[in-house]
Amino acid sequence: MEERNKTLGEFIIEKQEDFKYSSGELSRLINSIRLAAKVVNYKVNKAGLVDIIGKFGEQNIQGEDQQKLDVYANEIFMQTLINREIVCGIASEENDDFLTIEGNDGSHNNKYVVLIDPLDGSSNIDVNVSVGTIFSIYRRVTPVGTPVTLEDFLQPGVNQVAAGYVIYGTSTMLVYTTGNGVNGFTLNPAIGTFYLSHPNFMFPKDGNIYSINEGNYVHFPQGVKDYIKYCQLEEGDRPYTSRYIGSLVSDIHRNMIKGGIYIYPTSSKAPKGKLRLLYECNPMAFLAEQAGGKASDGFGRIMEIQPTELHQRVPFFCGSYNMVEKAEEFMAKYK
Ligand code: P6P
């Protein structure tokens, strides 16, 4: 079968042998994410037509107004994962604490935990800009058969067994890795099937797009200010192009296709950065590295950070290998 005509379902079955020590649970886990993505996609695409836009009237743990679609997406992914008895725990941006998932018989025999940002960039929904789901999967580290603990979630990114995102854009795509490269699947909404559209997705080693909210320029560390000026200097292949959607999945997806760097640094307004390590930076870092790119906190590898809190924030530099390396050079001057 021609590579590009392969469906996600066929791909998962074909790659089953890649999942070391897995008795098919990881495949079933990816499949349940596929199902939930289709359901959320339907709602996201209808958002303008039904009363599902706008704030839910509550705030999530981040103190951010919850858009109704945030809550809806969280419920869909939670229920889809819980009902299939594949995971033993779930942590979500929308929930203060992690959820312990028991089997129907009250057991704790499943071995995977999932961390998820069910609808990242949701503030863009009202203005019809692409949003995304980001997920990260680990094998539990505490004994199977016991309830999961926080330790199962506070693992460094290098322990991830799979990670990916769904981008609900002009087309809906599921992009994921299980540690053997990155593959992108595009949804054919007419028949509700994801088809392999971007086999062996690679980050160009170089690029000329930089993505950062320059509105915060005066609050940035000097190394970031110096890198921005480097991007803007008339020299060689520069000035680069500034492109910032304000939706992490969209900005990184574009940069993975065209080449580029995304930066959300610390600032006096966000002293630890804004993005969350466990369910935004680590999964995007896993994808970036598997695609030949680089992901850093400005000084070191994101995936080697030992997490200390479920919702902890870190500065995030992610994209084309040589561009992230260059930005780190500027940061190193002020370490
Ligand atoms: P700012 C969305 O809220 C998000 O978490 C990312 O998707 C996005 O890249 C970033 O925050 C935008 O933040 O402060 O530039 O609006």
Side-chain angles (χ1 to χ4, degrees):
M1 175 185 298
E2 208 277 315
E3 192 73 352
R4 285 182 182 273
N5 296 334
K6 206 168 284 176
T7 68
L8 175 54
E10 287 159 338
F11 185 86
I12 290 171
I13 292 166
E14 183 186 288
K15 298 294 180 186
Q16 170 58 42
E17 68 274 7
D18 286 349
F19 303 153
K20 293 190 292 293
Y21 337 111
S22 169
S23 55
E25 285 165 291
L26 191 55
S27 299
R28 283 170 48 225
L29 182 39
I30 302 284
N31 260 316
S32 42
I33 289 172
R34 167 178 65 149
L35 175 62
K38 289 185 199 176
V39 176
V40 171
N41 174 64
Y42 177 79
K43 268 291 193 274
V44 165
N45 285 329
K46 296 288 171 293
L49 302 173
V50 296
D51 176 29
I52 198 161
I53 289 277
K55 297 184 176 26
F56 193 60
E58 296 177 354
Q59 294 217 326
N60 62 18
I61 185 172
Q62 321 298 338
E64 294 164 348
D65 289 334
Q66 275 190 297
Q67 306 272 342
K68 284 179 182 174
L69 268 175
D70 270 356
V71 178
Y72 175 81
N74 194 42
E75 284 166 7
I76 292 296
F77 277 98
M78 286 284 186
Q79 282 314 316
T80 305
L81 290 168
I82 291 168
N83 295 344
R84 277 160 183 72
E85 291 204 44
I86 308 166
V87 298
C88 53
I90 306 173
S92 167
E93 183 201 25
E94 298 302 333
N95 299 349
D96 297 0
D97 203 350
F98 65 86
L99 208 62
T100 300
I101 314 294
E102 294 180 352
N104 289 331
D105 58 0
S107 65
H108 299 274
N109 295 327
N110 297 318
K111 62 186 175 202
Y112 293 105
V113 295
V114 177
L115 298 102
I116 190 163
D117 184 353
L119 209 61
D120 179 74
S122 57
S123 55
N124 290 302
I125 292 164
D126 293 16
V127 295
N128 208 9
V129 167
S130 302
V131 293
T133 297
I134 310 170
F135 62 91
S136 174
I137 302 171
Y138 292 85
R139 201 171 282 103
R140 68 178 297 176
V141 291
T142 56
V144 173
T146 62
V148 286
T149 69
L150 186 57
E151 185 188 356
D152 292 303
F153 296 93
L154 298 186
Q155 298 187 52
V158 289
N159 289 4
Q160 291 175 97
V161 292
Y165 61 79
V166 183
I167 178 168
Y168 309 98
T170 46
S171 61
T172 294
M173 282 189 69
L174 172 59
V175 179
Y176 80 96
T177 180
T178 56
N180 295 288
V182 178
N183 291 282
F185 300 81
T186 299
L187 180 67
N188 176 340
I191 55 175
T193 301
F194 280 101
Y195 284 93
L196 181 60
S197 54
H198 296 68
N200 195 28
F201 214 160
M202 291 302 284
F203 237 123
K205 277 281 181 266
D206 284 298
N208 60 12
I209 294 173
Y210 69 102
S211 308
I212 187 168
N213 183 344
E214 292 188 63
N216 298 323
Y217 180 85
V218 297
H219 305 290
F220 287 155
Q222 191 56 46
V224 173
K225 291 179 179 175
D226 290 355
Y227 180 67
I228 291 173
K229 288 306 162 206
Y230 168 84
C231 293
Q232 295 170 342
L233 199 64
E234 190 91 32
E235 189 180 69
D237 60 348
R238 285 169 284 128
Y240 294 153
T241 297
S242 173
R243 284 285 182 277
Y244 189 71
I245 301 170
S247 171
L248 174 68
V249 171
S250 307
D251 278 314
I252 292 202
H253 184 75
R254 179 208 48 245
N255 291 352
M256 195 140 88
I257 293 170
K258 293 179 177 268
I261 182 172
Y262 171 96
I263 303 176
Y264 207 105
T266 58
S267 70
S268 44
K269 294 182 355 184
K272 293 189 185 321
K274 175 183 182 185
L275 301 186
R276 295 81 172 179
L277 173 60
L278 290 180
Y279 41 79
E280 289 176 336
C281 300
N282 269 333
M284 296 313 269
F286 192 17
L287 288 164
E289 290 195 3
Q290 283 289 313
K294 192 174 172 68
S296 155
D297 63 358
F299 301 105
R301 193 179 174 208
I302 279 284
M303 293 212 291
E304 287 177 359
I305 296 174
Q306 174 54 52
T308 52
E309 292 165 29
L310 208 49
H311 299 287
Q312 81 182 73
R313 300 173 192 265
V314 289
F316 195 47
F317 298 61
C318 181
S320 294
Y321 193 95
N322 296 341
M323 295 182 85
V324 175
E325 201 166 56
K326 188 59 153 175
E328 287 178 325
E329 282 174 24
F330 283 95
M331 294 298 286
K333 292 177 186 168
Y334 302 94
K335 190 158 188 174

